[in-house]
Amino acid sequence: MHSEIAAVVGPDRSTAGAPSLAQGAYGVRGNLELLACDRTDGLWVFWFNADLVTDPLETPDVPPGAWSAGLSFASGHRYLDAQIVQSSLGPDHLEVLALDERGALQSWYWSPGLGFQRRAADAATDVSRFTLTHVAGSLDAIVVGRDGGARRLVSDADAPGYPDRTWNTSPAGETDTRSTREDPRVRALIVAAGEVEAQIAPGTARSARSTRNGGTTELTWRDTAGRIRHLGR
């Protein structure tokens, strides 16, 4: 198990809600990608340089073992939640679903050169919360509507026209709405790492697996002062 001191991500940025972290594909060892909503307008993405000082320097603006200052995008909307995954398509595009205050679940992707772009078609409307997963280029989202009903939406990797995406309701399996909420086991991991539970903002604790140091559990949360925190275990 790996330990480190909890880092503050984007301390000078005005962010809100639960951060979303994914194992990235860039750099020699694969960086980390972290997404957060701005308090009033747009989204922020931060990236962690997971390379070692002995690796070839590919991101001179972010030293090995450090977080970037952050990039703002998607202005014009206030977002309630947003999630990011590393796609195997593109190659290596990033995929984002972002829930705006109108209930629209916007679909975005990042590609080299062009950066983040919003797709013409949203994944869903009248959404209250959601969760996103990725498998071999396909995206799977559990979506809970404003009426409380849940459904599973799937966007297949082999659908024509990528980077455009088509979302279809999947008839297979039960939708587990618990996966759209905070897992108390993640809070327990953060506390076990030495953090004070009372200082973890409710509903913001998340975990993701990365390839760092042979395999690391990446813990993210927002503290009661409003700062994004990150810790690897």
Side-chain angles (χ1 to χ4, degrees):
M1 181 171 286
H2 311 286
S3 299
E4 59 185 39
I5 298 173
V8 178
V9 182
D12 300 324
R13 307 305 189 189
S14 176
T15 61
S20 171
L21 184 144
Q23 168 70 69
Y26 295 91
V28 175
R29 300 176 185 271
N31 58 9
L32 305 180
E33 304 284 350
L34 187 148
L35 183 70
C37 302
D38 188 86
R39 288 186 181 276
T40 59
D41 181 44
L43 301 168
W44 286 94
V45 65
F46 306 90
W47 54 96
F48 178 86
N49 186 349
D51 290 347
L52 304 178
V53 293
T54 53
D55 291 325
L57 188 61
E58 294 189 0
T59 54
D61 56 325
V62 183
W67 282 98
S68 72
L71 171 70
S72 176
F73 71 101
S75 62
H77 297 277
R78 187 174 74 87
Y79 294 91
L80 307 179
D81 191 15
Q83 296 178 26
I84 189 169
V85 296
Q86 175 71 66
S87 177
S88 58
L89 303 180
D92 299 331
H93 288 183
L94 295 166
E95 294 278 353
V96 168
L97 287 185
L99 177 61
D100 69 30
E101 60 185 348
R102 304 168 304 155
L105 189 57
Q106 299 180 14
S107 177
W108 290 75
Y109 71 98
W110 179 93
S111 61
L114 295 176
F116 284 99
Q117 298 180 81
R118 182 183 176 183
R119 295 184 171 97
D122 295 333
T125 58
D126 294 322
V127 175
S128 65
R129 64 181 188 272
F130 74 99
T131 189
L132 173 66
T133 56
H134 164 268
V135 179
S138 294
L139 299 182
D140 189 314
I142 297 176
V143 174
V144 180
R146 287 180 169 179
D147 61 358
R151 63 191 189 277
R152 184 183 299 276
L153 300 178
V154 176
S155 179
D156 292 327
D158 56 0
Y162 186 83
D164 291 337
R165 280 193 176 274
T166 300
W167 293 87
N168 299 297
T169 301
S170 173
E174 295 294 327
T175 53
D176 184 359
T177 58
R178 291 175 300 175
S179 64
T180 66
R181 298 187 175 97
E182 179 183 83
D183 187 338
R185 293 173 296 182
V186 177
R187 294 180 68 88
L189 285 174
I190 297 171
V191 173
E195 300 295 322
V196 178
E197 184 168 12
Q199 295 179 1
I200 305 171
T204 66
R206 298 288 187 272
S207 71
R209 288 292 294 173
S210 79
T211 58
R212 291 200 303 139
N213 301 316
T216 298
T217 298
E218 309 289 351
L219 302 171
T220 56
W221 69 98
R222 187 177 298 279
D223 65 24
T224 51
R227 300 170 299 186
I228 296 174
R229 305 294 296 272
H230 165 248
L231 178 67
R233 296 284 288 171

